[in-house]
Amino acid sequence: MTALEPRDAEVTPLPDGRAEAPAAPDDGQGGILGGSHRALSVGIVSVVVLIAFEATAVGTAMPIAARELHGIPLYAFAFSAYFTTSLFAMVLSGQWADRDGPLRPLATGISAFGAGLLLSGTASAMWLFIIGRAVQGLGGGLVIVALYVVVSRAYSERLRPSIMAAFAASWVVPSVVGPLASGAVTEHLGWRWVFIGIPALVVFPLALALPAIRRMASGPADPSVPPRPFDGRRIRLALGISVGAGLLQYAGQELRWLSVIPAVAGTALLVPAVLGLLPRGTCRAVRGLPSVVLLRGIAAGSFIAAESFVPLMLVTQRGLSPTMAGLSLAVGGATWALGSYVQARPRLEPYRQWLMVGGMVAVAIVTASSVLIAAVPVWIVGVAWGVGCFGMGMVLASTSVLLLKLSAPEEAGANSAALQIADGLSNVLLLAAGGAAFAALGGGAVGAAHVAVGASGSHPGAFAAVFLPMAAVALVGAWVGTRLRARDA
């Protein structure tokens, strides 16, 4: 079976009247682990496990690395370097995959991801460490978009919800094991081994996934059409969105009058880049694909911005230890995977839009923030966040499924890049906004004293200034969820 066979399949109309791209064929054995899909599914899921393990393990070792490299003042840039370069790589990967197929960007991305880890793990100065994180971001951006194109090429519409659910489930074990393993390695062997050890995990995904991708999803979507050249304008816009996001993040961290300069420069770069890279009508929530992309950004950004402050709130306002504060969110990995599993059930397909509306996390965010009231028991946070992660599992997996359904094969890369840009960009913008509000209402004093367990010197207003606006953003997302299909759908 090759990726070329589906082009002779029957074309079906989409709800908006467009012709839907022919679906990839089933293997006749009813699942993502059946027949010719087995090696591909195990391989690409292993890639996601690698990315998940890096995201959960490296964050644990990062404070020790920054301290030993005398780079605490540059700590935030170790995170933002990854993000800003990944935004650029997402657009590049989308064009590359649409032009030549997903095999090359995926292989290049995994290689760059491993190389960045090695560079950070062997760095002798903080600026070298940050460069390594930037190389990682290039690799991560290439990989995530290429994986979406693989799914669009190699899996039929019936199987796509299941492989997206498998992607979500791939985060469960790393989210639990990653921080514990990273902490143990950092304590007994040193932080460098966290970075140096992860690239060894690259070998298995490469050996298993790449041959299957070459067989099932390689090459351009339509070999009869001459390859389109890379769009220089979109690449320049991608560079603008990366630099603009970085400047805005820097401005949000430095609450000084001089911060207005990078904020204005970042906005000037970001606005035209966003308008040029996202589907037309995204900012206006036009029905169909634009609303799918917008919903992805709103859902991911509001959830991540709120979640980032939950452990700090529990430590400083309710007196939990850092370990207990982290464990209060541990159930989220399992319920997230459960939500992704639920959306993959075929009998729920007619209700996918309403699953996404109900999955928005406004209620979970408000409920979690209620522990700022001393009379509310702390365990409420675990329950609220478990429910919220269940909803996010349904929402994020469903946006991926709908995006691929609404994308022709030659557009899958560009549209997948737009989805990931909306996701990543909303994270940094809402985190920057939440962080600025938090600092303006005394959150800086909270952060400086967070090692002191107890509620003394609490600043509940600073936390409320984060959670309540994010809940409002999530409510807007619920409205956007009603616009995912055309009126006659």
Side-chain angles (χ1 to χ4, degrees):
M1 182 184 301
T2 69
L4 305 182
E5 293 174 3
R7 281 193 286 275
D8 296 327
E10 181 181 359
V11 175
T12 56
L14 292 173
D16 61 2
R18 289 193 305 111
E20 181 180 10
D26 280 331
D27 62 4
Q29 298 185 29
I32 60 175
L33 294 179
S36 60
H37 284 93
R38 185 179 298 112
L40 178 62
S41 297
V42 173
I44 62 177
V45 167
S46 298
V47 173
V48 177
V49 170
L50 169 66
I51 294 173
F53 188 79
E54 183 275 341
T56 56
V58 166
T60 303
M62 198 82 76
I64 307 301
R67 186 183 65 191
E68 291 192 6
L69 294 173
H70 307 289
I72 294 296
L74 300 175
Y75 181 76
F77 291 99
F79 290 95
S80 61
Y82 182 100
F83 172 76
T84 54
T85 55
S86 67
L87 281 176
F88 174 77
M90 288 172 189
V91 177
L92 178 63
S93 182
Q95 290 199 38
W96 196 356
D98 284 341
R99 184 179 186 275
D100 299 325
L103 182 62
R104 291 179 180 175
L106 183 62
T108 303
I110 294 176
S111 301
F113 192 80
L117 283 165
L118 289 174
L119 183 56
S120 292
T122 58
S124 58
M126 191 62 179
W127 66 271
L128 285 173
F129 183 89
I130 292 173
I131 291 175
R133 292 288 293 165
V135 175
Q136 274 184 259
L138 286 172
L142 289 172
V143 167
I144 191 64
V145 172
L147 284 178
Y148 274 72
V149 179
V150 170
V151 172
S152 74
R153 299 269 189 99
Y155 294 86
S156 69
E157 186 177 326
R158 182 180 68 84
L159 294 180
R160 289 173 190 166
S162 296
I163 193 64
M164 291 300 174
F167 284 175
S170 300
W171 282 78
V172 176
V173 173
S175 66
V176 176
V177 175
L180 297 176
S182 177
V185 171
T186 299
E187 182 178 351
H188 297 290
L189 298 177
W191 66 268
R192 294 183 185 276
W193 287 101
V194 175
F195 290 84
I196 295 173
I198 292 176
L201 303 176
V202 171
V203 177
F204 175 75
L206 280 175
L208 196 59
L210 297 187
I213 294 172
R214 182 179 291 109
R215 177 170 52 88
M216 300 182 67
S218 63
D222 188 353
S224 64
V225 177
R228 292 181 296 179
F230 284 98
D231 188 337
R233 174 179 173 273
R234 290 183 64 85
I235 291 177
R236 289 191 297 273
L237 289 175
L239 184 60
I241 206 171
S242 295
V243 176
L247 288 172
L248 283 177
Q249 189 175 37
Y250 173 80
Q253 292 169 350
E254 298 288 336
L255 294 180
R256 300 178 300 171
W257 284 110
L258 288 178
S259 298
V260 173
I261 297 175
V264 171
T267 302
L269 288 171
L270 204 60
V271 171
V274 168
L275 294 176
L277 292 174
L278 299 186
R280 181 174 298 177
T282 297
C283 296
R284 295 181 287 111
V286 171
R287 291 182 179 273
L289 182 64
S291 285
V292 172
V293 172
L294 180 61
L295 179 64
R296 176 59 166 261
I298 290 175
S302 60
F303 181 83
I304 295 300
E307 185 181 55
S308 299
F309 287 87
V310 170
L312 184 61
M313 175 182 69
L314 294 176
V315 170
T316 62
Q317 309 301 296
R318 297 303 299 266
L320 270 66
S321 68
T323 299
M324 290 302 298
L327 287 177
S328 69
L329 304 180
V331 69
T335 57
W336 190 304
L338 180 61
S340 295
Y341 172 81
V342 168
Q343 65 81 35
R345 300 305 87 200
R347 62 185 176 183
L348 293 179
E349 178 62 33
Y351 311 104
R352 181 176 298 280
Q353 175 177 339
W354 300 112
L355 291 176
M356 298 169 74
V357 172
M360 293 303 295
V361 294
V363 174
I365 294 174
V366 171
T367 303
S369 66
S370 68
V371 301
L372 291 168
I373 303 171
V376 177
V378 174
W379 56 262
I380 288 293
V381 171
V383 174
W385 225 245
V387 173
C389 287
F390 178 82
M392 288 298 292
M394 291 194 298
V395 171
L396 296 196
S398 290
T399 55
S400 301
V401 171
L402 285 178
L403 178 121
L404 295 178
K405 183 176 182 179
L406 295 171
S407 300
E410 66 275 9
E411 299 173 344
N415 289 342
S416 297
L419 191 75
Q420 295 302 319
I421 288 171
D423 187 322
L425 184 61
S426 67
N427 285 345
V428 73
L429 293 181
L430 291 179
L431 272 171
F438 182 74
L441 293 179
V446 173
H450 75 277
V451 292
V453 177
S456 60
S458 63
H459 293 265
F463 289 97
V466 175
F467 290 114
L468 297 183
M470 295 309 148
V473 172
L475 280 177
V476 173
W479 171 77
V480 174
T482 66
R483 302 178 60 79
L484 302 181
R485 299 184 184 276
R487 292 185 182 276
D488 57 350

